[in-house]
Amino acid sequence: MRNNRAMHRIAVLALDDVVGLDLGTPAQVFGTARTGDLTPLYRVEVCTPGARPIRSTAGFQVVPDHGLELLDSANTVIVPGIHDGPPLTDGTLDASVAAALRAAHDRGARIMSICTGAFVLAAAGLLDGRRATTHWAYADRFRRFHPHVDLDPDVLFVDGGEVLTSAGVAAGIDLCLHVIRTDHGSAVANRSARRCVVPPWREGGQSQYIERPVPRTAETGTAATREWARQRLHEPVALRELAAHARMSVRTFTRHFRSETGLSPAQWLLQQRTEHARLLLETTDLTVDQIARHAGFGTTAALRQHFHSRVGVAPTAYRRTFRRTPEPVASRP
């Protein structure tokens, strides 16, 4: 189902006090996913319990076209975040909503949450024994309500295969783009990201966004050095070179780098090289050996080791799954 190029139906389940941005994210991001001839790949619809209007946190009401029956036929079900209600106040969920979510999961639908929507999935029993995430500010409360969930508040999203969760607000965009990439490859996901004017992926995790007592100034940032390193992924880049480019000591650079990205410089470089290798595997006919050199791994063995560690499959297996033939581009005047 996840690689089916036919129209994919997405049901967005909105509950009272739904976060306005979370509610609009799936329609906006998935709505930009199209083939080369501009054929839409997803259809996004909104439902509520009883098809009744609900409140949003953005000062407007949501008047849906569907009730919970929409979950019976959706390929993917997405639960946006909420700012109030039983899932957040006492960890419980309306029985009819819980049953509809479990039924959708049992018949094979992909289930996703954005931000505090993870509280809804957990209250429905869909996250027990699974790794999941939610907004970092709600992590302690989530653990109190749902001790059987393996909560990781440091990541932007968790892809558990059949159940996926994202961190707060904008991390929902990251998750939606990840799903488009999983379903249809990097080329489609990158086009969607450009339409939404966001990066195709963001490095690091939530730790870079947690409130800190002393804000960093632009002069002490490492963004320019990260961009410099991205242009040199095919070359060996040492930590001392990165620090020298940023005009910092190695110790100071490492501290600022981790603070800004949530990763060490070495971890970040591996992530960037792996993502570049994925893109080359999906979009070029380069051999695995050539890709290893272009992505900066040096040897095929090093590429295979790190790729399998981070992605979970060998490069050749990944290419067989995600290599896309060029799509026809609609002619334009």
Side-chain angles (χ1 to χ4, degrees), residues 24-86:
T25 292
Q28 177 63 42
V29 179
F30 285 107
T32 64
R34 297 169 182 263
T35 63
D37 62 0
L38 304 182
T39 301
L41 293 167
Y42 300 92
R43 177 182 178 185
V44 182
E45 300 167 286
V46 177
C47 67
T48 66
R52 62 178 176 80
I54 61 165
R55 301 182 304 275
S56 79
T57 61
F60 59 80
Q61 280 197 324
V62 179
V63 183
D65 291 330
H66 305 278
L68 292 176
E69 68 279 357
L70 182 63
L71 275 59
D72 296 337
S73 57
N75 303 106
T76 294
V77 176
I78 302 177
V79 181
I82 52 175
H83 274 181
D84 202 356

Tab-separated table of all heavy atoms in Angstrom, residues 24-86:
chain	number	residue	atom	x	y	z
A	24	GLY	N	-3.970	21.879	9.438
A	24	GLY	CA	-3.772	22.237	8.041
A	24	GLY	C	-2.545	21.621	7.395
A	24	GLY	O	-2.455	21.569	6.157
A	25	THR	N	-1.616	21.123	8.203
A	25	THR	CA	-0.356	20.605	7.655
A	25	THR	C	-0.549	19.452	6.671
A	25	THR	O	0.025	19.477	5.578
A	25	THR	CB	0.594	20.179	8.801
A	25	THR	OG1	1.020	21.353	9.500
A	25	THR	CG2	1.803	19.435	8.278
A	26	PRO	N	-1.317	18.406	6.995
A	26	PRO	CA	-1.434	17.294	6.038
A	26	PRO	C	-1.983	17.720	4.680
A	26	PRO	O	-1.451	17.309	3.633
A	26	PRO	CB	-2.373	16.311	6.746
A	26	PRO	CG	-2.206	16.612	8.199
A	26	PRO	CD	-2.017	18.099	8.266
A	27	ALA	N	-3.044	18.536	4.677
A	27	ALA	CA	-3.619	18.965	3.400
A	27	ALA	C	-2.624	19.792	2.603
A	27	ALA	O	-2.512	19.644	1.374
A	27	ALA	CB	-4.900	19.758	3.645
A	28	GLN	N	-1.883	20.661	3.292
A	28	GLN	CA	-0.933	21.516	2.589
A	28	GLN	C	0.231	20.710	2.013
A	28	GLN	O	0.587	20.856	0.840
A	28	GLN	CB	-0.386	22.587	3.543
A	28	GLN	CG	0.666	23.492	2.927
A	28	GLN	CD	0.126	24.305	1.765
A	28	GLN	OE1	-0.990	24.817	1.826
A	28	GLN	NE2	0.905	24.417	0.695
A	29	VAL	N	0.837	19.850	2.828
A	29	VAL	CA	2.031	19.134	2.390
A	29	VAL	C	1.675	18.025	1.407
A	29	VAL	O	2.243	17.938	0.309
A	29	VAL	CB	2.808	18.568	3.597
A	29	VAL	CG1	4.040	17.796	3.114
A	29	VAL	CG2	3.229	19.703	4.533
A	30	PHE	N	0.736	17.166	1.775
A	30	PHE	CA	0.375	16.070	0.873
A	30	PHE	C	-0.295	16.598	-0.394
A	30	PHE	O	-0.221	15.963	-1.451
A	30	PHE	CB	-0.532	15.069	1.577
A	30	PHE	CG	0.183	14.192	2.560
A	30	PHE	CD1	0.014	14.375	3.919
A	30	PHE	CD2	1.039	13.193	2.133
A	30	PHE	CE1	0.676	13.578	4.837
A	30	PHE	CE2	1.712	12.387	3.038
A	30	PHE	CZ	1.535	12.583	4.396
A	31	GLY	N	-0.939	17.758	-0.292
A	31	GLY	CA	-1.579	18.337	-1.472
A	31	GLY	C	-0.593	18.773	-2.536
A	31	GLY	O	-0.969	18.919	-3.704
A	32	THR	N	0.669	18.982	-2.160
A	32	THR	CA	1.685	19.377	-3.138
A	32	THR	C	2.366	18.178	-3.794
A	32	THR	O	3.156	18.363	-4.731
A	32	THR	CB	2.773	20.240	-2.470
A	32	THR	OG1	3.459	19.457	-1.484
A	32	THR	CG2	2.178	21.471	-1.811
A	33	ALA	N	2.091	16.972	-3.315
A	33	ALA	CA	2.744	15.778	-3.856
A	33	ALA	C	2.062	15.362	-5.147
A	33	ALA	O	0.904	14.927	-5.149
A	33	ALA	CB	2.694	14.646	-2.834
A	34	ARG	N	2.797	15.481	-6.247
A	34	ARG	CA	2.230	15.182	-7.561
A	34	ARG	C	3.266	14.476	-8.422
A	34	ARG	O	4.465	14.576	-8.191
A	34	ARG	CB	1.762	16.472	-8.258
A	34	ARG	CG	0.630	17.166	-7.503
A	34	ARG	CD	0.346	18.561	-8.025
A	34	ARG	NE	-0.708	19.197	-7.243
A	34	ARG	CZ	-1.989	19.219	-7.595
A	34	ARG	NH1	-2.358	18.656	-8.732
A	34	ARG	NH2	-2.884	19.799	-6.822
A	35	THR	N	2.774	13.774	-9.420
A	35	THR	CA	3.674	13.138	-10.385
A	35	THR	C	4.251	14.206	-11.307
A	35	THR	O	3.875	15.387	-11.232
A	35	THR	CB	2.912	12.100	-11.220
A	35	THR	OG1	1.890	12.783	-11.983
A	35	THR	CG2	2.256	11.043	-10.340
A	36	GLY	N	5.132	13.770	-12.201
A	36	GLY	CA	5.726	14.712	-13.140
A	36	GLY	C	4.713	15.382	-14.044
A	36	GLY	O	4.928	16.501	-14.505
A	37	ASP	N	3.556	14.709	-14.315
A	37	ASP	CA	2.524	15.325	-15.147
A	37	ASP	C	1.442	15.995	-14.302
A	37	ASP	O	0.334	16.244	-14.761
A	37	ASP	CB	1.900	14.291	-16.101
A	37	ASP	CG	1.203	13.165	-15.348
A	37	ASP	OD1	1.192	13.186	-14.094
A	37	ASP	OD2	0.671	12.253	-16.008
A	38	LEU	N	1.783	16.270	-13.006
A	38	LEU	CA	0.951	17.051	-12.080
A	38	LEU	C	-0.287	16.312	-11.580
A	38	LEU	O	-1.235	16.926	-11.093
A	38	LEU	CB	0.540	18.389	-12.707
A	38	LEU	CG	1.694	19.277	-13.194
A	38	LEU	CD1	1.154	20.588	-13.752
A	38	LEU	CD2	2.691	19.521	-12.081
A	39	THR	N	-0.287	14.989	-11.689
A	39	THR	CA	-1.387	14.205	-11.131
A	39	THR	C	-1.248	14.129	-9.613
A	39	THR	O	-0.193	13.722	-9.117
A	39	THR	CB	-1.388	12.777	-11.697
A	39	THR	OG1	-1.504	12.843	-13.119
A	39	THR	CG2	-2.528	11.957	-11.108
A	40	PRO	N	-2.280	14.507	-8.848
A	40	PRO	CA	-2.193	14.434	-7.384
A	40	PRO	C	-2.022	12.992	-6.914
A	40	PRO	O	-2.601	12.058	-7.482
A	40	PRO	CB	-3.536	15.009	-6.906
A	40	PRO	CG	-4.040	15.811	-8.059
A	40	PRO	CD	-3.561	15.107	-9.289
A	41	LEU	N	-1.225	12.806	-5.878
A	41	LEU	CA	-0.955	11.477	-5.349
A	41	LEU	C	-1.738	11.171	-4.083
A	41	LEU	O	-1.847	10.010	-3.688
A	41	LEU	CB	0.546	11.327	-5.071
A	41	LEU	CG	1.439	11.324	-6.305
A	41	LEU	CD1	2.898	11.497	-5.912
A	41	LEU	CD2	1.248	10.029	-7.091
A	42	TYR	N	-2.286	12.202	-3.440
A	42	TYR	CA	-3.017	12.003	-2.195
A	42	TYR	C	-4.315	12.804	-2.202
A	42	TYR	O	-4.392	13.878	-2.801
A	42	TYR	CB	-2.181	12.454	-0.986
A	42	TYR	CG	-0.872	11.719	-0.804
A	42	TYR	CD1	0.300	12.209	-1.379
A	42	TYR	CD2	-0.802	10.550	-0.048
A	42	TYR	CE1	1.505	11.539	-1.215
A	42	TYR	CE2	0.401	9.882	0.123
A	42	TYR	CZ	1.549	10.378	-0.459
A	42	TYR	OH	2.735	9.718	-0.291
A	43	ARG	N	-5.293	12.273	-1.509
A	43	ARG	CA	-6.543	12.996	-1.275
A	43	ARG	C	-6.723	13.110	0.232
A	43	ARG	O	-6.768	12.090	0.932
A	43	ARG	CB	-7.731	12.251	-1.894
A	43	ARG	CG	-9.081	12.916	-1.636
A	43	ARG	CD	-10.201	12.092	-2.240
A	43	ARG	NE	-11.511	12.655	-1.975
A	43	ARG	CZ	-12.650	12.082	-2.298
A	43	ARG	NH1	-12.647	10.897	-2.925
A	43	ARG	NH2	-13.806	12.652	-2.030
A	44	VAL	N	-6.780	14.337	0.759
A	44	VAL	CA	-6.847	14.574	2.195
A	44	VAL	C	-8.240	15.065	2.571
A	44	VAL	O	-8.744	16.034	1.991
A	44	VAL	CB	-5.786	15.603	2.634
A	44	VAL	CG1	-5.847	15.808	4.149
A	44	VAL	CG2	-4.392	15.151	2.205
A	45	GLU	N	-8.857	14.398	3.541
A	45	GLU	CA	-10.192	14.769	4.018
A	45	GLU	C	-10.188	14.823	5.541
A	45	GLU	O	-9.411	14.131	6.192
A	45	GLU	CB	-11.221	13.752	3.528
A	45	GLU	CG	-11.294	13.669	2.006
A	45	GLU	CD	-12.078	12.453	1.540
A	45	GLU	OE1	-11.537	11.334	1.631
A	45	GLU	OE2	-13.222	12.630	1.089
A	46	VAL	N	-11.075	15.623	6.091
A	46	VAL	CA	-11.135	15.835	7.539
A	46	VAL	C	-12.403	15.223	8.096
A	46	VAL	O	-13.485	15.312	7.494
A	46	VAL	CB	-11.084	17.343	7.875
A	46	VAL	CG1	-11.233	17.566	9.381
A	46	VAL	CG2	-9.780	17.948	7.371
A	47	CYS	N	-12.280	14.598	9.266
A	47	CYS	CA	-13.450	14.047	9.943
A	47	CYS	C	-13.385	14.378	11.422
A	47	CYS	O	-12.313	14.681	11.971
A	47	CYS	CB	-13.535	12.528	9.739
A	47	CYS	SG	-12.225	11.576	10.543
A	48	THR	N	-14.535	14.321	12.071
A	48	THR	CA	-14.644	14.501	13.518
A	48	THR	C	-15.648	13.480	14.040
A	48	THR	O	-16.444	12.919	13.263
A	48	THR	CB	-15.143	15.914	13.886
A	48	THR	OG1	-16.488	16.072	13.414
A	48	THR	CG2	-14.263	16.995	13.277
A	49	PRO	N	-15.646	13.208	15.321
A	49	PRO	CA	-16.672	12.315	15.870
A	49	PRO	C	-18.075	12.867	15.612
A	49	PRO	O	-18.390	14.014	15.939
A	49	PRO	CB	-16.356	12.306	17.379
A	49	PRO	CG	-14.902	12.639	17.465
A	49	PRO	CD	-14.655	13.616	16.350
A	50	GLY	N	-18.903	12.076	14.961
A	50	GLY	CA	-20.264	12.502	14.659
A	50	GLY	C	-20.356	13.551	13.575
A	50	GLY	O	-21.433	14.133	13.361
A	51	ALA	N	-19.279	13.822	12.875
A	51	ALA	CA	-19.234	14.853	11.832
A	51	ALA	C	-19.688	16.211	12.364
A	51	ALA	O	-20.197	17.053	11.625
A	51	ALA	CB	-20.093	14.453	10.634
A	52	ARG	N	-19.468	16.438	13.652
A	52	ARG	CA	-19.918	17.696	14.256
A	52	ARG	C	-18.818	18.746	14.198
A	52	ARG	O	-17.625	18.417	14.150
A	52	ARG	CB	-20.336	17.464	15.700
A	52	ARG	CG	-19.218	16.967	16.607
A	52	ARG	CD	-19.677	16.801	18.048
A	52	ARG	NE	-18.632	16.240	18.876
A	52	ARG	CZ	-17.615	16.924	19.381
A	52	ARG	NH1	-17.510	18.226	19.108
A	52	ARG	NH2	-16.700	16.337	20.131
A	53	PRO	N	-19.190	20.036	14.218
A	53	PRO	CA	-18.184	21.095	14.278
A	53	PRO	C	-17.397	21.009	15.590
A	53	PRO	O	-17.943	20.628	16.629
A	53	PRO	CB	-19.008	22.383	14.214
A	53	PRO	CG	-20.308	21.978	13.614
A	53	PRO	CD	-20.554	20.578	14.087
A	54	ILE	N	-16.121	21.350	15.528
A	54	ILE	CA	-15.293	21.354	16.727
A	54	ILE	C	-14.520	22.668	16.817
A	54	ILE	O	-14.394	23.397	15.841
A	54	ILE	CB	-14.297	20.177	16.746
A	54	ILE	CG1	-13.349	20.275	15.547
A	54	ILE	CG2	-15.018	18.837	16.752
A	54	ILE	CD1	-12.132	19.388	15.676
A	55	ARG	N	-14.016	22.955	18.016
A	55	ARG	CA	-13.214	24.146	18.226
A	55	ARG	C	-11.766	23.898	17.812
A	55	ARG	O	-11.246	22.800	17.955
A	55	ARG	CB	-13.229	24.547	19.706
A	55	ARG	CG	-14.599	24.833	20.284
A	55	ARG	CD	-14.466	25.257	21.741
A	55	ARG	NE	-13.735	24.249	22.540
A	55	ARG	CZ	-14.307	23.187	23.090
A	55	ARG	NH1	-15.600	22.972	22.909
A	55	ARG	NH2	-13.598	22.332	23.801
A	56	SER	N	-11.115	24.939	17.327
A	56	SER	CA	-9.671	24.883	17.105
A	56	SER	C	-9.007	25.873	18.052
A	56	SER	O	-9.671	26.741	18.639
A	56	SER	CB	-9.323	25.243	15.658
A	56	SER	OG	-9.357	26.645	15.469
A	57	THR	N	-7.703	25.766	18.196
A	57	THR	CA	-6.970	26.699	19.046
A	57	THR	C	-6.681	28.009	18.333
A	57	THR	O	-6.139	28.928	18.935
A	57	THR	CB	-5.631	26.083	19.478
A	57	THR	OG1	-4.835	25.814	18.313
A	57	THR	CG2	-5.855	24.784	20.241
A	58	ALA	N	-7.030	28.097	17.050
A	58	ALA	CA	-6.714	29.278	16.259
A	58	ALA	C	-7.880	30.252	16.154
A	58	ALA	O	-7.832	31.178	15.336
A	58	ALA	CB	-6.256	28.860	14.867
A	59	GLY	N	-8.930	30.052	16.938
A	59	GLY	CA	-10.041	30.990	16.946
A	59	GLY	C	-11.098	30.738	15.897
A	59	GLY	O	-11.905	31.627	15.599
A	60	PHE	N	-11.129	29.557	15.319
A	60	PHE	CA	-12.182	29.232	14.352
A	60	PHE	C	-12.708	27.832	14.631
A	60	PHE	O	-12.072	27.035	15.324
A	60	PHE	CB	-11.667	29.322	12.907
A	60	PHE	CG	-10.506	28.408	12.600
A	60	PHE	CD1	-10.696	27.057	12.329
A	60	PHE	CD2	-9.207	28.905	12.568
A	60	PHE	CE1	-9.627	26.218	12.036
A	60	PHE	CE2	-8.136	28.081	12.273
A	60	PHE	CZ	-8.341	26.734	12.011
A	61	GLN	N	-13.899	27.579	14.110
A	61	GLN	CA	-14.481	26.241	14.221
A	61	GLN	C	-14.184	25.446	12.949
A	61	GLN	O	-14.059	26.003	11.860
A	61	GLN	CB	-15.993	26.311	14.430
A	61	GLN	CG	-16.411	26.606	15.860
A	61	GLN	CD	-17.869	26.250	16.089
A	61	GLN	OE1	-18.716	26.423	15.206
A	61	GLN	NE2	-18.183	25.754	17.274
A	62	VAL	N	-14.099	24.148	13.114
A	62	VAL	CA	-13.895	23.241	11.994
A	62	VAL	C	-15.217	22.570	11.685
A	62	VAL	O	-15.829	21.936	12.553
A	62	VAL	CB	-12.835	22.178	12.329
A	62	VAL	CG1	-12.656	21.222	11.155
A	62	VAL	CG2	-11.516	22.839	12.713
A	63	VAL	N	-15.695	22.725	10.453
A	63	VAL	CA	-16.949	22.106	10.027
A	63	VAL	C	-16.595	21.005	9.034
A	63	VAL	O	-16.335	21.267	7.857
A	63	VAL	CB	-17.895	23.141	9.377
A	63	VAL	CG1	-19.218	22.477	9.002
A	63	VAL	CG2	-18.127	24.307	10.321
A	64	PRO	N	-16.546	19.751	9.469
A	64	PRO	CA	-16.034	18.670	8.622
A	64	PRO	C	-17.078	18.135	7.653
A	64	PRO	O	-18.282	18.369	7.807
A	64	PRO	CB	-15.657	17.597	9.641
A	64	PRO	CG	-16.699	17.773	10.704
A	64	PRO	CD	-16.946	19.254	10.799
A	65	ASP	N	-16.625	17.402	6.673
A	65	ASP	CA	-17.513	16.741	5.722
A	65	ASP	C	-17.810	15.304	6.113
A	65	ASP	O	-18.690	14.674	5.517
A	65	ASP	CB	-16.887	16.741	4.322
A	65	ASP	CG	-16.817	18.134	3.722
A	65	ASP	OD1	-17.692	18.953	4.045
A	65	ASP	OD2	-15.886	18.389	2.939
A	66	HIS	N	-17.066	14.775	7.114
A	66	HIS	CA	-17.185	13.354	7.425
A	66	HIS	C	-17.179	13.111	8.935
A	66	HIS	O	-16.672	13.924	9.712
A	66	HIS	CB	-16.029	12.559	6.805
A	66	HIS	CG	-15.879	12.753	5.336
A	66	HIS	ND1	-16.643	12.065	4.421
A	66	HIS	CD2	-15.052	13.564	4.619
A	66	HIS	CE1	-16.290	12.429	3.197
A	66	HIS	NE2	-15.335	13.340	3.293
A	67	GLY	N	-17.733	11.949	9.296
A	67	GLY	CA	-17.636	11.453	10.653
A	67	GLY	C	-16.578	10.364	10.734
A	67	GLY	O	-15.774	10.180	9.811
A	68	LEU	N	-16.609	9.602	11.817
A	68	LEU	CA	-15.596	8.572	12.024
A	68	LEU	C	-15.621	7.476	10.962
A	68	LEU	O	-14.647	6.736	10.816
A	68	LEU	CB	-15.778	7.942	13.411
A	68	LEU	CG	-15.484	8.848	14.615
A	68	LEU	CD1	-15.794	8.109	15.912
A	68	LEU	CD2	-14.033	9.306	14.591
A	69	GLU	N	-16.708	7.380	10.210
A	69	GLU	CA	-16.775	6.357	9.162
A	69	GLU	C	-15.690	6.556	8.100
A	69	GLU	O	-15.340	5.618	7.381
A	69	GLU	CB	-18.152	6.348	8.498
A	69	GLU	CG	-18.502	7.562	7.656
A	69	GLU	CD	-18.990	8.752	8.455
A	69	GLU	OE1	-19.125	8.621	9.689
A	69	GLU	OE2	-19.229	9.819	7.847
A	70	LEU	N	-15.137	7.770	8.002
A	70	LEU	CA	-14.066	8.010	7.043
A	70	LEU	C	-12.856	7.126	7.334
A	70	LEU	O	-12.133	6.722	6.419
A	70	LEU	CB	-13.648	9.486	7.071
A	70	LEU	CG	-12.560	9.920	6.090
A	70	LEU	CD1	-13.021	9.752	4.649
A	70	LEU	CD2	-12.153	11.379	6.343
A	71	LEU	N	-12.657	6.791	8.609
A	71	LEU	CA	-11.517	5.960	8.987
A	71	LEU	C	-11.649	4.535	8.456
A	71	LEU	O	-10.656	3.806	8.378
A	71	LEU	CB	-11.354	5.923	10.507
A	71	LEU	CG	-10.554	7.083	11.142
A	71	LEU	CD1	-11.183	8.435	10.836
A	71	LEU	CD2	-10.412	6.877	12.644
A	72	ASP	N	-12.861	4.136	8.069
A	72	ASP	CA	-13.076	2.774	7.579
A	72	ASP	C	-12.435	2.533	6.218
A	72	ASP	O	-12.160	1.383	5.856
A	72	ASP	CB	-14.581	2.474	7.478
A	72	ASP	CG	-15.271	2.509	8.828
A	72	ASP	OD1	-14.575	2.328	9.841
A	72	ASP	OD2	-16.503	2.710	8.857
A	73	SER	N	-12.209	3.605	5.447
A	73	SER	CA	-11.706	3.424	4.082
A	73	SER	C	-10.395	4.150	3.816
A	73	SER	O	-9.837	4.033	2.726
A	73	SER	CB	-12.753	3.912	3.069
A	73	SER	OG	-13.094	5.273	3.314
A	74	ALA	N	-9.885	4.891	4.783
A	74	ALA	CA	-8.660	5.666	4.577
A	74	ALA	C	-7.442	4.762	4.550
A	74	ALA	O	-7.347	3.789	5.298
A	74	ALA	CB	-8.507	6.714	5.673
A	75	ASN	N	-6.495	5.101	3.680
A	75	ASN	CA	-5.208	4.391	3.659
A	75	ASN	C	-4.294	4.850	4.787
A	75	ASN	O	-3.494	4.074	5.306
A	75	ASN	CB	-4.492	4.627	2.330
A	75	ASN	CG	-5.324	4.207	1.141
A	75	ASN	OD1	-5.851	5.040	0.423
A	75	ASN	ND2	-5.462	2.905	0.935
A	76	THR	N	-4.430	6.123	5.132
A	76	THR	CA	-3.644	6.710	6.222
A	76	THR	C	-4.571	7.540	7.091
A	76	THR	O	-5.437	8.254	6.578
A	76	THR	CB	-2.508	7.597	5.674
A	76	THR	OG1	-1.558	6.788	4.980
A	76	THR	CG2	-1.791	8.344	6.792
A	77	VAL	N	-4.382	7.443	8.414
A	77	VAL	CA	-5.139	8.250	9.369
A	77	VAL	C	-4.151	9.118	10.138
A	77	VAL	O	-3.162	8.617	10.680
A	77	VAL	CB	-5.936	7.373	10.354
A	77	VAL	CG1	-6.636	8.239	11.402
A	77	VAL	CG2	-6.941	6.502	9.611
A	78	ILE	N	-4.403	10.426	10.178
A	78	ILE	CA	-3.519	11.366	10.875
A	78	ILE	C	-4.303	12.067	11.978
A	78	ILE	O	-5.393	12.585	11.747
A	78	ILE	CB	-2.950	12.415	9.908
A	78	ILE	CG1	-2.186	11.732	8.765
A	78	ILE	CG2	-2.027	13.383	10.658
A	78	ILE	CD1	-1.642	12.705	7.727
A	79	VAL	N	-3.731	12.081	13.191
A	79	VAL	CA	-4.340	12.776	14.327
A	79	VAL	C	-3.491	14.011	14.642
A	79	VAL	O	-2.360	13.884	15.115
A	79	VAL	CB	-4.435	11.872	15.563
A	79	VAL	CG1	-5.092	12.635	16.716
A	79	VAL	CG2	-5.221	10.605	15.238
A	80	PRO	N	-3.999	15.220	14.382
A	80	PRO	CA	-3.248	16.438	14.720
A	80	PRO	C	-3.195	16.645	16.226
A	80	PRO	O	-3.945	16.028	16.989
A	80	PRO	CB	-4.059	17.549	14.034
A	80	PRO	CG	-5.041	16.858	13.144
A	80	PRO	CD	-5.275	15.518	13.734
A	81	GLY	N	-2.344	17.582	16.647
A	81	GLY	CA	-2.221	17.888	18.065
A	81	GLY	C	-3.462	18.573	18.630
A	81	GLY	O	-4.269	19.153	17.903
A	82	ILE	N	-3.591	18.489	19.949
A	82	ILE	CA	-4.670	19.154	20.671
A	82	ILE	C	-4.060	19.904	21.844
A	82	ILE	O	-2.988	19.560	22.330
A	82	ILE	CB	-5.728	18.144	21.178
A	82	ILE	CG1	-5.046	17.026	21.969
A	82	ILE	CG2	-6.539	17.583	20.016
A	82	ILE	CD1	-6.014	16.037	22.608
A	83	HIS	N	-4.765	20.938	22.323
A	83	HIS	CA	-4.274	21.713	23.451
A	83	HIS	C	-5.131	21.548	24.689
A	83	HIS	O	-4.871	22.193	25.710
A	83	HIS	CB	-4.180	23.191	23.080
A	83	HIS	CG	-2.882	23.542	22.420
A	83	HIS	ND1	-2.558	24.818	22.013
A	83	HIS	CD2	-1.798	22.772	22.095
A	83	HIS	CE1	-1.361	24.815	21.460
A	83	HIS	NE2	-0.888	23.591	21.503
A	84	ASP	N	-6.149	20.699	24.639
A	84	ASP	CA	-7.001	20.453	25.800
A	84	ASP	C	-7.793	19.178	25.532
A	84	ASP	O	-7.705	18.590	24.455
A	84	ASP	CB	-7.934	21.639	26.042
A	84	ASP	CG	-8.431	21.698	27.491
A	84	ASP	OD1	-8.093	20.773	28.264
A	84	ASP	OD2	-9.145	22.651	27.826
A	85	GLY	N	-8.567	18.772	26.521
A	85	GLY	CA	-9.389	17.591	26.376
A	85	GLY	C	-8.842	16.399	27.152
A	85	GLY	O	-7.689	16.407	27.600
A	86	PRO	N	-9.659	15.360	27.338
A	86	PRO	CA	-9.273	14.203	28.154
A	86	PRO	C	-7.933	13.564	27.800
A	86	PRO	O	-7.200	13.181	28.722
A	86	PRO	CB	-10.447	13.234	27.949
A	86	PRO	CG	-11.608	14.113	27.653
A	86	PRO	CD	-11.052	15.254	26.863
